[in-house]
Amino acid sequence: MNQAHPYELLTPDMVLDAIDSTGFLTDARILALNSYENRVYQVGIEGASPLIAKFYRPERWTNEQIIEEHEFTQALKDLEISVVPPMADDEGNTLREFQGFRFALYLRQGGHAPNLDDFDALLSLGRTLGRIHALGQARPFVHRPALNIQTFGRDSYDFLLANDFIPASLRESYRTLGADLLARCETLFARVDYTPIRLHGDCHPGNILWREEVPHFVDFDDARMGPAIQDLWMLLSGEREQQTLQLAEVLEGYREFCDFDLAELALIEALRSLRIMHYSAWLARRWTDPAFPRHFPWFNTERYWGEHILELREQLAAMNEPPLVIY
């Protein structure tokens, strides 16, 4: 008999009991939010605005790694940067525990994804990221991992091959292409002498809430050490000319608060490639969680892996193109 996944024990009643254990009085309203790595809920509170409760995936982060993320977001909040740090209890603790589950509570933050076609919005995003990185470079994370070729690329590549996720008909194509892709990433990274800093780590538009002309950055769960460009390149879209214009606007705002080494622009396609590899391996690693086959039914099919290999081929070609240039 298959052992139940730990999250199957996290019932709505347990979520409500966990929140009640912190001293808040819930009103029995609970809404599961769009999160798969962790479990995140909006929970109604008697006589007050709802709270957001994030229940951490068991065995993913250590307590020290979670607290390090919490401290980073609180330090940003102390500088009046619009992020959403976890709420502390009367003793100042932000990481809580209930029946084996670790969780944190957050104030609810409203907003919508930013309009990345609006240059004024890009300028504002750049300014905020510059402020985040100015603090991020002040000292390193001690416990949280780094974003690099090993953690995002080679570990992903090795995991997929070792666990037979790649269909036999595509295995050799993936093996040789993946090796070539990683070698190209190594070459590009070797050319750029960057200093890793503390990052948001997953700075896509879905983790930025736009409200009252202000960007609010949420979900620092993937915060780690890495090159500054990692938090910038996901704001770019469209053809090369359009990306160049967008990047120029972001960097204009960014450089008001933090220096940026233009040499890091050569890492954009390598970082995109590593993210693609890491995403597929992430789905594979989580496949025993019942939520994943239910919400990602297209994964782990022959068609999926064929399209994944095609995407990696396109990335190998992209890494051979000249990087974006900003003057």
Side-chain angles (χ1 to χ4, degrees), residues 100-166:
F101 284 99
R102 296 170 301 168
F103 70 101
L105 297 178
Y106 297 82
L107 296 174
R108 184 176 61 172
Q109 175 66 63
H112 57 83
N115 178 8
L116 299 183
D117 293 324
D118 182 343
F119 279 14
D120 287 339
L122 291 172
L123 183 68
S124 180
L125 287 167
R127 285 171 175 154
T128 305
L129 281 168
R131 297 184 67 202
I132 291 173
H133 285 186
L135 178 69
Q137 68 185 14
R139 63 180 178 85
F141 283 132
V142 175
H143 302 288
R144 295 184 77 83
L147 192 167
N148 54 38
I149 296 171
Q150 183 64 47
T151 58
F152 265 49
R154 295 199 178 280
D155 289 351
S156 301
Y157 174 77
D158 292 343
F159 179 85
L160 291 172
L161 288 175
N163 289 276
D164 295 324
F165 275 91
I166 312 297

